[in-house]
Amino acid sequence: KINLMLSTGTGGNKGIGFAIVKALCEQFGGHVYLTARDEERGLAAVKSLEDVSKKSINFVLRTYCIT
């Protein structure tokens, strides 16, 4: 049996998305994934949250294809 808990915060590098991911880091017992469209800002947000929460956060770069 596999028991996996994860949560994803979209737009997590600033504003409301950042606040949601921060709250997840503080209150959620599973894996936290932060997504952002800008890699540099996303990684900076992850570093900032890891320093505060002492929790490992996974970063996913979101890319869009607009045709």
Side-chain angles (χ1 to χ4, degrees):
K1 179 179 175 183
I2 297 174
N3 187 11
L4 177 67
M5 293 186 355
L6 68 93
S7 181
T8 303
T10 61
N13 63 296
K14 62 182 179 176
I16 293 171
F18 183 84
I20 290 170
V21 173
K22 183 178 179 193
L24 287 169
C25 289
E26 295 169 352
Q27 300 174 21
F28 183 67
H31 299 280
V32 176
Y33 287 81
L34 180 149
T35 68
R37 290 179 285 170
D38 183 288
E39 184 173 18
E40 187 174 320
R41 289 191 294 186
L43 292 172
V46 166
K47 172 92 172 86
S48 171
L49 290 168
E50 286 179 339
D51 288 347
V52 172
S53 70
K54 305 298 184 216
K55 181 173 189 154
S56 179
I57 303 165
N58 301 285
F59 174 67
V60 178
L61 178 64
R62 291 187 311 172
T63 57
Y64 295 93
C65 180
I66 300 172
T67 58

